[in-house]
Amino acid sequence: MALSTQKATALSGNHTEQPYISQVVIIMTMRDNIADDGFAPWLLQGATLDHGYPCITPLPETVPMPKDLVPFDKRNSVKNKHAFIHFYENDRRFRSLAANPDRYIPKLKEFDGVISPDFSLYWDAPLPVLQANTYRNRLLGHYMQRQGLPVTPNIRWGDERTFEFCFLGIAKCSMVAISTVGCLSSRKGMSYLSAGLEAMMDILEPSRVIVNGPMPAIIFGKYWNLAEFRTYASWTHRMKGRSYGNR
């Protein structure tokens, strides 16, 4: 394997406070079994890096927001394919995709699009683990995009430590996705949700925000005139016949 990097100017649309961008070209002389590939550097082929994090190219504004969201582990059981596949579920349910994404690309192409994988950022996790999970989010998002899938970046933050890197690789003024499921059951969770949302709106200035889960006005209300927000009932709530209102 040969690896070359080249400095370039910041991408138009990426956050101006992070000017260091590099282009990665990886030449694989041989691609063996997935288990032999280590960190699967071939996934990084053609990526533009933002401080080491692969960039996900924003979808054009002409691409509409999803008509529906479907969890990755329900991809084979739904009939309506006019939806985006998401990964807002336990990490183990999409571990196989992380290990071998090529196996699932054809199935994912049956849907309108994909939200990049949501690897967990636990509050008490070591910082390198949090950074690695953010990196994997961007890496797989980039790779799926290179395979021809429409990809919307998932923005996941944890505590304040993650604000230094959890927005890297994402273009400003673009469509992003977040999930509030599990974030509203405690004061601590709501505090981190509110702080991260404020940081995201300030740094990324998104034009459209996909929200998987409830969108309480006490947290989201002050941003409703800054971007288009659309909320989608979580799969659990949907099975119980519940829904949320949109803005």
Side-chain angles (χ1 to χ4, degrees), residues 17 28 95 119 121 128 134 142 180 202 210 226:
E17 297 178 3
M28 299 299 297
R95 186 179 299 160
F119 295 99
L121 299 187
T134 299
H142 156 75
T180 63
D202 180 57
I210 298 166
L226 301 179

Side-chain angles (χ1 to χ4, degrees), residues 12-41:
S12 175
N14 274 37
H15 20 280
T16 56
E17 297 178 3
Q18 307 293 348
Y20 181 78
I21 303 290
S22 62
Q23 184 74 32
V24 172
V25 177
I26 297 177
I27 304 173
M28 299 299 297
T29 57
M30 181 176 182
R31 179 168 159 185
D32 296 321
N33 183 283
I34 296 296
D36 298 327
D37 280 344
F39 287 102

Side-chain angles (χ1 to χ4, degrees), residues 178-194:
I178 65 173
S179 179
T180 63
V181 175
C183 299
L184 302 171
S185 58
S186 69
R187 290 183 179 179
K188 186 176 182 180
M190 292 181 67
S191 176
Y192 283 143
L193 174 61
S194 179

Side-chain angles (χ1 to χ4, degrees), residues 117-149:
D118 184 52
F119 295 99
S120 298
L121 299 187
Y122 296 110
W123 300 333
D124 56 351
L127 190 60
V129 173
L130 301 174
Q131 293 170 327
N133 279 352
T134 299
Y135 175 85
R136 291 201 294 167
N137 170 333
R138 305 294 192 271
L139 179 65
L140 287 169
H142 156 75
Y143 184 74
M144 290 190 290
Q145 195 168 60
R146 192 158 62 85
Q147 301 309 305
L149 285 165

Side-chain angles (χ1 to χ4, degrees), residues 20-239:
Y20 181 78
I21 303 290
S22 62
Q23 184 74 32
V24 172
V25 177
I26 297 177
I27 304 173
M28 299 299 297
T29 57
M30 181 176 182
R31 179 168 159 185
D32 296 321
N33 183 283
I34 296 296
D36 298 327
D37 280 344
F39 287 102
W42 46 271
L43 294 176
L44 201 59
Q45 176 71 40
T48 298
L49 302 183
D50 182 2
H51 285 67
Y53 292 82
C55 295
I56 298 176
T57 304
L59 292 176
E61 287 294 316
T62 54
V63 174
M65 298 183 82
K67 295 180 180 179
D68 199 4
L69 299 182
V70 172
F72 174 71
D73 73 339
K74 304 298 182 185
R75 66 193 180 281
N76 294 319
S77 61
V78 297
K79 295 181 179 180
N80 181 18
K81 303 301 175 66
H82 291 296
F84 275 35
I85 291 290
H86 72 74
F87 299 85
Y88 298 125
E89 48 192 350
N90 192 291
D91 293 24
R92 68 175 181 271
R93 295 186 178 180
F94 55 90
R95 186 179 299 160
S96 58
L97 175 134
N100 187 2
D102 285 341
R103 176 183 174 186
Y104 300 94
I105 295 296
K107 186 65 179 181
L108 295 177
K109 284 186 175 181
E110 295 179 8
F111 293 83
D112 288 345
V114 178
I115 295 172
S116 62
D118 184 52
F119 295 99
S120 298
L121 299 187
Y122 296 110
W123 300 333
D124 56 351
L127 190 60
V129 173
L130 301 174
Q131 293 170 327
N133 279 352
T134 299
Y135 175 85
R136 291 201 294 167
N137 170 333
R138 305 294 192 271
L139 179 65
L140 287 169
H142 156 75
Y143 184 74
M144 290 190 290
Q145 195 168 60
R146 192 158 62 85
Q147 301 309 305
L149 285 165
V151 177
T152 295
N154 166 56
I155 312 297
R156 172 65 68 180
W157 57 85
D159 56 34
E160 291 88 347
R161 296 175 298 162
T162 65
F163 297 173
E164 295 296 321
F165 54 83
C166 70
F167 306 116
L168 295 176
I170 309 300
K172 292 185 67 171
C173 305
S174 64
M175 181 166 68
V176 300
I178 65 173
S179 179
T180 63
V181 175
C183 299
L184 302 171
S185 58
S186 69
R187 290 183 179 179
K188 186 176 182 180
M190 292 181 67
S191 176
Y192 283 143
L193 174 61
S194 179
L197 182 64
E198 180 178 9
M200 182 187 79
M201 297 301 295
D202 180 57
I203 294 171
L204 296 181
E205 301 177 1
S207 59
R208 297 179 290 173
V209 183
I210 298 166
V211 182
N212 178 68
M215 189 172 61
I218 192 172
I219 295 176
F220 286 82
K222 60 183 177 181
Y223 306 112
W224 284 340
N225 64 334
L226 301 179
E228 179 183 357
F229 286 82
R230 185 172 299 180
T231 180
Y232 301 79
S234 68
W235 198 259
T236 300
H237 277 67
R238 191 175 309 182
M239 294 302 99

